[in-house]
Amino acid sequence: EADIYQTPRYLVIGTGKKITLECSQTMGHDKMYWYQQDPGMELHLIHYSYGVNSTEKGDLSSESTVSRIRTEHFPLTLESARPSHTSQYLCASSADTISNQPQHFGDGTRLSIL
Amino acid sequence: QKEVEQDPGPLSVPEGAIVSLNCTYSNSAFQYFMWYRQYSRKGPELLMYTYSSGNKEDGRFTAQVDKSSKYISLFIRDSQPSDSATYLCATSGARTDKLIFGTGTRLQVFP
């Protein structure tokens, strides 16, 4: 069973605030991902990391930034939140092996910007 | 055109029914196929993971991949109310682990 944790689960906050969404995994996975999910829409990859000090932008443009200082931790930051950032943010991880391994997800952070 | 197409539903079936969920995809380079189940206010949970064409069975769930027609299916036998959730199909190519998701099909199993 995957052990990947996201906090907070829900966040309602005003425009202009700086926000950090936390994601931690205890499986020692090198690969970690951030997705954005809106109702009725597919998940879109916004950031990924293949290990410590590795970060890349995903397919969906995002004003957020990420860091990977420790293997188990992959936080996502919004410097100045706007209503357009309202969405569900999902973190995932997978094992780094030769063959593709499936991604395991946390329960997400539901973010509402007023 | 989306790379993965999935009927959003909702699909409503009685308890005990056989459920068929389907996706089509456009890129013949896709090699890995997954089904995730997502309950309300939870993250996607991996149900099935298959490589290339063929069938894979796990309990009441069977995943089927037909690469010739670019069609993937998930069958649920003896469906239960606890199966009520959104089911997401996903796929990736051989040289990348970036997943392409369908929009999800919402399934409701009523007693």
Side-chain angles (χ1 to χ4, degrees), chain B residues 26-46:
Chain B
S26 58
N27 190 339
S28 58
F30 290 151
Q31 300 269 5
Y32 297 89
F33 305 93
M34 286 135 275
W35 284 96
Y36 286 87
R37 177 176 62 195
Q38 186 174 22
Y39 291 113
S40 179
R41 304 195 182 281
K42 300 287 254 182
E45 171 195 8
L46 182 69

Side-chain angles (χ1 to χ4, degrees), chain A residues 33-105:
Chain A
Y33 313 84
W34 276 102
Y35 289 87
Q36 193 168 332
Q37 184 182 33
D38 294 309
M41 303 291 290
E42 57 268 38
L43 276 73
H44 286 291
L45 181 68
I46 52 175
H47 296 285
Y48 61 99
S49 167
Y50 284 167
V52 171
N53 294 326
S54 154
T55 61
E56 300 287 345
K57 289 190 178 294
D59 301 323
L60 183 68
S61 175
S62 174
E63 293 167 348
S64 58
T65 59
V66 292
S67 62
R68 190 85 184 277
I69 298 172
R70 302 197 316 265
T71 298
E72 63 271 22
H73 195 214
F74 191 39
L76 180 146
T77 298
L78 283 162
E79 289 294 331
S80 180
R82 295 208 300 270
S84 60
H85 297 141
T86 295
S87 187
Q88 171 152 270
Y89 293 84
L90 290 162
C91 181
S93 73
S94 67
D96 184 16
T97 62
I98 296 173
S99 63
N100 281 4
Q101 292 297 302
Q103 296 177 21
H104 299 276
F105 286 82

Side-chain angles (χ1 to χ4, degrees), chain B residues 7-93:
Chain B
D7 188 330
L11 180 62
S12 187
V13 301
E15 183 175 357
I18 297 174
V19 176
S20 172
L21 304 169
N22 309 294
C23 288
T24 59
Y25 63 95
S26 58
N27 190 339
S28 58
F30 290 151
Q31 300 269 5
Y32 297 89
F33 305 93
M34 286 135 275
W35 284 96
Y36 286 87
R37 177 176 62 195
Q38 186 174 22
Y39 291 113
S40 179
R41 304 195 182 281
K42 300 287 254 182
E45 171 195 8
L46 182 69
L47 271 182
M48 301 291 279
Y49 175 68
T50 57
Y51 171 71
S52 199
S53 283
N55 291 359
K56 183 175 182 179
E57 187 174 319
D58 184 0
R60 296 185 295 111
F61 299 91
T62 299
Q64 193 172 79
V65 176
D66 182 349
K67 291 194 72 180
S68 63
S69 56
K70 299 189 184 70
Y71 197 81
I72 57 177
S73 302
L74 178 70
F75 298 96
I76 306 175
R77 291 183 298 281
D78 187 24
S79 56
Q80 303 294 310
S82 58
D83 295 329
S84 298
T86 296
Y87 290 80
L88 306 166
C89 63
T91 180
S92 69

